[in-house]
């Protein structure tokens, strides 16, 4: 046992030296957990920002001005006043995404008990912004009109809603996307690094050196998992704190980070084992890349990080529960945002360790077969 630990330790040191001697891989690790996370979250925000909007106000009442003032930055640019004759021309040229046409006597008719309507014209060529912006305007105007009616009629409506949003009160997409981007990057870089470590041994011919050394396949594989895992775990935690928490201003409780680190360690064990298995099956680096990337994309797309699992077909929902990527996505949300303790996420940890054990067992069998063929 002591000899096994000693051999694994020395092989781990060798893996560290090999990794730190490769500036390309080091640069990739730094980039993907810093600038890569920042740009992915900042550039792909699903929130409405700086939408161009114009208003044709035929009422010029207190209510119409109140509605105008409710369209605030950063969701909307300052509303521009236009006439009804200018609407078609500006919509055709794409100058405004939204145009509001408030009819004359709108406030008067509303107070008289009628149901006057405001026309909202939308340029749907900007499909995502149009859909989100329409929902924003409906919600904002609904709230403002209810407030106006309560102030002027001196009575409350039959129903008053009090909505409490847990964990993300401002509906900020950055809160979710920042952590999920780090989780996705951990998966990709772990597959690449662990697999590249095996391919590098084969391409440099050092696999023959291992054949004549008194080491076992488990020592070789675990050394690669430990070395790459320590590097990725360290960089991932630094990314969560400095890039996501400080840079993107996502509120993360520091007491949750130790449990999150434990979850990452379990995930790294499973994904590094999978990476070694894929590298043993692939005879060269290009073929490993062609095998690795589709595996990562499928696991990530079905993990719930890109789209809700509930929206997927039933059979896919069942199968994806066995994926370490899906388990880590759920684990990260529970720990980072809902501040769950270990009793609530222990099942997630067991699943990831179990998946890693299965992948590693298959990889070791294949590795022994490969060593025997090389010998």
């Amino acid at each position: 046992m002591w000899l096994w630990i000693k051999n694994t330790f020395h092989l781990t040191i060798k893996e560290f030296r090999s990794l730190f001697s490769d500036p390309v891989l080091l640069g990739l690790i730094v980039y993907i957990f810093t600038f890569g996370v920042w740009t992915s979250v900042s550039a792909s925000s699903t929130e409405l920002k700086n939408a161009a909007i114009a208003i044709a106000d035929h009422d010029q009442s207190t209510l119409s001005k109140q509605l105008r003032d409710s369209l605030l930055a950063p969701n909307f640019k300052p509303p521009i006043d236009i006439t009804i004759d200018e609407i078609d021309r500006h919509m055709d040229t794409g100058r405004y995404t939204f145009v509001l046409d408030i009819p004359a006597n709108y406030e008067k008719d509303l107070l008289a008990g009628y149901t006057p309507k405001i026309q909202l014209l939308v340029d749907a060529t900007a499909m995502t912004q149009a859909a989100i912006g329409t929902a924003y305007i409906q919600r904002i105007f609904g709230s403002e009109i209810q407030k106006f009616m309560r102030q002027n009629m001196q009575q409350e409506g039959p129903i008053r809603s009090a909505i409490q949003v847990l964990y993300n009160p401002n509906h900020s997409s950055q809160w979710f996307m920042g952590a999920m981007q780090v989780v996705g990057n951990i998966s990709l870089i772990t597959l690449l690094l662990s697999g590249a470590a095996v391919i590098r041994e084969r391409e440099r011919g050092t696999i023959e050196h291992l054949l004549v050394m008194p080491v076992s396949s488990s020592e070789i594989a675990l050394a690669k998992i430990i070395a790459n895992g320590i590097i990725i775990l360290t960089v991932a935690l630094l990314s969560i704190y400095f890039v996501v928490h400080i840079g993107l201003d996502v509120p993360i409780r520091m007491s949750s980070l130790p449990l999150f680190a434990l979850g990452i360690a379990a995930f790294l064990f499973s994904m590094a084992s999978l990476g070694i298995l894929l590298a043993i099956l692939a005879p060269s680096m290009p073929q490993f890349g062609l095998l690795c990337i589709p595996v990562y994309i499928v696991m990530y797309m079905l993990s719930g990080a890109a789209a809700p699992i509930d929206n997927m077909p039933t059979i896919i929902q069942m199968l994806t529960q066995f994926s370490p990527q899906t388990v880590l996505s759920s684990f990260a949300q529970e720990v980072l945002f809902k501040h769950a303790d270990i009793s609530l996420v222990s099942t997630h940890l067991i699943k990831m360790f179990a998946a890693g054990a299965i992948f590693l067992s298959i990889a070791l069998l294949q590795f022994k077969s490969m060593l025997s063929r090389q010998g």
Side-chain angles (χ1 to χ4, degrees), residues 226-260:
I226 293 171
N228 290 295
I230 290 175
I231 296 296
I232 298 172
L233 176 60
T234 303
V235 177
L237 291 177
L238 291 175
S239 178
I240 283 288
Y241 182 76
F242 288 104
V243 179
V244 178
H245 177 55
I246 296 180
L248 297 174
D249 198 25
V250 177
I252 294 176
R253 187 181 297 177
M254 293 299 101
S255 59
S256 300
L257 287 183
L259 181 56
F260 181 64

Side-chain angles (χ1 to χ4, degrees), residues 28-303:
L28 176 63
I29 294 173
V30 173
Y31 167 81
I32 201 171
F33 283 104
T34 54
F35 191 71
V37 173
W38 179 277
T39 53
S40 296
V41 175
S42 302
S44 60
S45 175
T46 58
E47 298 171 6
L48 185 71
K49 291 185 179 180
N50 298 320
I53 186 168
I55 300 178
D57 187 357
H58 305 285
D59 191 30
Q60 296 296 325
S61 63
T62 302
L63 176 57
S64 67
K65 290 180 171 58
Q66 181 177 330
L67 294 176
R68 173 195 176 95
D69 293 339
S70 66
L71 302 172
L72 302 175
N75 301 132
F76 300 94
K77 293 179 179 179
I80 304 299
D81 290 316
I82 62 174
T83 64
I84 192 170
D85 297 331
E86 298 176 306
I87 292 179
D88 289 340
R89 178 166 55 86
H90 287 312
M91 292 296 289
D92 290 340
T93 58
R95 182 173 181 180
Y96 302 111
T97 305
F98 306 98
V99 174
L100 288 163
D101 184 3
I102 303 178
N105 300 317
Y106 179 77
E107 178 183 310
K108 181 180 178 181
D109 291 343
L110 194 65
L111 292 174
Y114 300 112
T115 56
K117 292 179 172 56
I118 296 176
Q119 184 180 30
L120 173 62
L121 303 175
V122 182
D123 179 3
T125 54
M127 185 173 60
T128 302
Q129 189 179 48
I132 297 174
T134 300
Y136 273 40
I137 294 172
Q138 288 177 334
R139 185 171 66 248
I140 293 170
F141 277 20
S143 175
E144 292 297 324
I145 291 172
Q146 286 185 4
K147 186 190 302 182
F148 177 81
M149 293 298 291
R150 288 197 299 267
Q151 292 172 349
N152 287 272
M153 304 299 289
Q154 297 299 317
Q155 62 181 12
E156 299 291 342
I159 299 177
R160 295 187 62 191
S161 60
I163 301 175
Q164 295 182 348
V165 181
L166 300 179
Y167 314 121
N168 190 359
N170 294 327
H171 301 275
S172 174
S173 62
Q174 289 188 350
W175 287 26
F176 175 80
M177 294 176 62
M180 291 302 100
Q181 187 65 39
V182 173
V183 167
N185 290 350
I186 291 173
S187 177
L188 177 60
I189 201 67
T190 303
L191 282 175
L192 291 176
L193 287 185
S194 58
V198 176
I199 299 292
R200 194 163 47 232
E201 298 277 8
R202 184 183 300 164
E203 292 183 342
R204 292 178 179 177
T206 52
I207 194 72
E208 285 78 9
H209 296 172
L210 296 176
L211 290 173
V212 298
M213 293 177 62
V215 295
S216 64
S217 58
S218 62
E219 294 168 353
I220 298 171
L222 283 176
K224 299 181 185 302
I225 293 174
I226 293 171
N228 290 295
I230 290 175
I231 296 296
I232 298 172
L233 176 60
T234 303
V235 177
L237 291 177
L238 291 175
S239 178
I240 283 288
Y241 182 76
F242 288 104
V243 179
V244 178
H245 177 55
I246 296 180
L248 297 174
D249 198 25
V250 177
I252 294 176
R253 187 181 297 177
M254 293 299 101
S255 59
S256 300
L257 287 183
L259 181 56
F260 181 64
L262 179 61
I264 293 179
F267 177 73
L268 288 171
F269 170 64
S270 61
M271 292 304 292
S273 300
L274 178 59
I276 291 175
L277 175 59
L278 295 178
I280 293 174
L281 297 176
S284 64
M285 185 64 79
Q287 290 178 329
F288 170 71
L290 291 175
L291 183 60
C292 177
I293 298 302
V295 170
Y296 162 74
I297 292 176
V298 172
M299 292 179 65
Y300 182 77
M301 294 300 293
L302 300 181
S303 68

